[in-house]
Amino acid sequence: MKPVALNSKRLILRPPAGSDAERLFELIGNYEVSKMLSVVPHPYTMDDARWWLGQIASDDLAGECAFAIDDGTGLIGAVSLGRHGNEPTLGYWLGQPYWGKGYMMEAAGMALAWFFSVSDAQAIESGALDENPASMSVLTKLGFGHGVARDLNVRARGKVMASTRVFLGREEFVARETA
Ligand SMILES: CC(C)(COP(=O)(O)OP(=O)(O)OC[C@H]1O[C@@H](n2cnc3c(N)ncnc32)[C@H](O)[C@@H]1OP(=O)(O)O)[C@@H](O)C(=O)NCCC(=O)NCCS
């Protein structure tokens, strides 16, 4: 899946570009962000930012497809639609200055609508650490449910944490979109 440019009321989703490296380094280098994510290292370096942008551009991340979230000033976060094992998986983050504005509902909702329109997947999974109620609230509002507990390795912390996997079916998503 190749990301395209998508627009909502306040945000643009677009393919990440090499010129996003500085903003990526600055925003995901914040431990308050990376400590909630599974695979992001901390400390985060410019080389890490360049590596990720290079992998995304070359489509080498085992089918992971990522959008930059842009508020018109540049990258403020990202949404990814990857395949871990057989299940398509939604992941996302926003830089800390952009929290609390309802941006992720807007960005992830747009990414999911695109995902279900270009793929034939019947469901997608996501999840959040149990200590991240803001993220679980976003997932619940998007329609994710059927929670299953699992231990998740959090690279920035170097330890395993309690988390909950949740699932969203195509029919549930479409029903909510058209309700
Ligand atoms: C989690 C994250 C994506 C949320 O995005 P956001 O656009 O800031 O979310 P919103 O502004 O819509 O807030 C989400 C909800 O969580 C609530 N919330 C925020 N902080 C909270 C907290 N500490 N405890 C409980 N609820 C909280 C908000 O009030 C809001 O509630 P509502 O759904 O009833 O309106 C964003 O904070 C983020 O990127 N965090 C760091 C990385 C991360 O956690 N990524 C997800 C990994 S699973």
Side-chain angles (χ1 to χ4, degrees), residues 62-109:
E64 180 176 348
C65 157
F67 289 96
I69 305 171
D70 192 321
D71 66 350
T73 69
L75 175 139
I76 64 166
V79 180
S80 69
L81 295 152
R83 261 181 198 281
H84 299 290
N86 291 324
E87 294 296 328
T89 304
L90 172 74
Y92 50 78
W93 63 272
L94 282 171
Q96 195 167 7
Y98 308 98
W99 295 357
K101 303 174 194 292
Y103 276 165
M104 193 49 78
M105 270 299 290
E106 206 170 309

Side-chain angles (χ1 to χ4, degrees), residues 32-38 90-96 98-106 126-129 131-139 141:
E32 295 306 310
V33 174
S34 60
K35 74 178 188 182
M36 296 300 187
L37 304 173
S38 168
L90 172 74
Y92 50 78
W93 63 272
L94 282 171
Q96 195 167 7
Y98 308 98
W99 295 357
K101 303 174 194 292
Y103 276 165
M104 193 49 78
M105 270 299 290
E106 206 170 309
S126 190
L129 296 181
E131 67 169 51
N132 193 354
S135 183
M136 195 47 85
S137 169
V138 169
L139 290 169
K141 284 192 288 181

Side-chain angles (χ1 to χ4, degrees), residues 104-127:
M104 193 49 78
M105 270 299 290
E106 206 170 309
M110 189 162 38
L112 285 170
W114 174 81
F115 170 76
F116 282 122
S117 75
V118 300
S119 80
D120 58 5
Q122 292 307 305
I124 188 163
E125 72 169 78
S126 190

